[in-house]
Amino acid sequence: MLLFLCSSSLIFGAERIYTLEEAVRKGLENNRELVFREREAEIQMKKTGLEYRKFFPELSFGFGVSDNVQYGGTDSHSRQVNIGVSQLLYDRGVLAAGIKLGKEEAELNRLRLREEREIYIYSVTEAFRDVLERKKELEILSAAHGLILEQLET
């Protein structure tokens, strides 16, 4: 990636010098896979937090209207309202174990993501070092070329 940035700046004539911090920041911002995985981890943590709702009572409301119109007979109109409350009383700890497992899994995914992020930062740092080495080699070769031209002229 850094090689592309440097080569594209040389092609277009505008040289842009990045610091290591800028290169790492830009690389992390542009790595769609890491950004996607970070969002996925956030969603997983929030879903795990929402599992606690299952311990609370569940309220249900319903309303129904029925109209029966008969020719030559009596019409009937009925309205019905339903209200219900249900709550899980005992599930042998299955729900609590599921929430605990979800939290541990989310933490494990967060650690894996951190490791992948560190590996990516290392690879950007290595690429940055390689670019600096090539730049220094180019400067040395350019200086040597200048010296050779001077010696040939004399």
Side-chain angles (χ1 to χ4, degrees):
M1 179 190 77
L2 287 174
L3 294 173
F4 172 74
L5 291 173
C6 290
S7 64
S8 66
S9 66
L10 292 175
I11 291 172
F12 296 114
E15 185 174 336
R16 168 76 165 99
I17 299 174
Y18 288 92
T19 64
L20 178 60
E21 292 81 15
E22 288 174 329
V24 168
R25 182 183 49 77
K26 197 153 198 67
L28 289 173
E29 287 173 0
N30 292 329
N31 188 333
R32 293 180 191 261
E33 184 178 338
L34 275 178
V35 171
F36 177 73
R37 301 267 319 257
E38 286 173 354
R39 299 294 181 264
E40 233 177 23
E42 289 173 13
I43 290 170
Q44 184 181 9
M45 287 294 286
K46 290 183 182 191
K47 280 184 178 178
T48 302
L50 290 176
E51 289 293 314
Y52 284 106
R53 293 186 305 176
K54 294 180 180 176
F55 286 114
F56 297 118
E58 181 180 324
L59 301 173
S60 60
F61 298 100
F63 178 74
V65 175
S66 175
D67 291 327
N68 188 7
V69 179
Q70 295 179 359
Y71 295 107
T74 58
D75 295 342
S76 67
H77 304 283
S78 67
R79 291 185 176 98
Q80 196 175 29
V81 176
N82 298 322
I83 299 174
V85 177
S86 64
Q87 182 174 8
L88 178 67
L89 295 178
Y90 182 67
D91 70 345
R92 295 178 301 215
V94 173
L95 185 59
I99 291 173
K100 184 178 179 184
L101 180 64
K103 281 183 173 181
E104 290 175 359
E105 193 174 301
E107 180 66 21
L108 184 61
N109 283 341
R110 190 185 64 78
L111 290 173
R112 285 183 188 139
L113 183 63
R114 182 178 175 186
E115 181 182 13
E116 287 177 23
R117 186 179 170 98
E118 289 173 355
I119 290 170
Y120 185 76
I121 289 172
Y122 177 76
S123 67
V124 169
T125 305
E126 285 292 309
F128 189 82
R129 183 185 56 84
D130 289 343
V131 167
L132 290 178
E133 282 180 3
R134 301 304 173 257
K135 186 178 177 184
K136 189 53 105 174
E137 286 175 6
L138 184 63
E139 289 173 1
I140 292 170
L141 289 173
S142 178
H145 182 262
L147 288 174
I148 291 172
L149 286 178
E150 284 179 14
Q151 289 177 359
L152 289 175
E153 289 176 355
T154 58

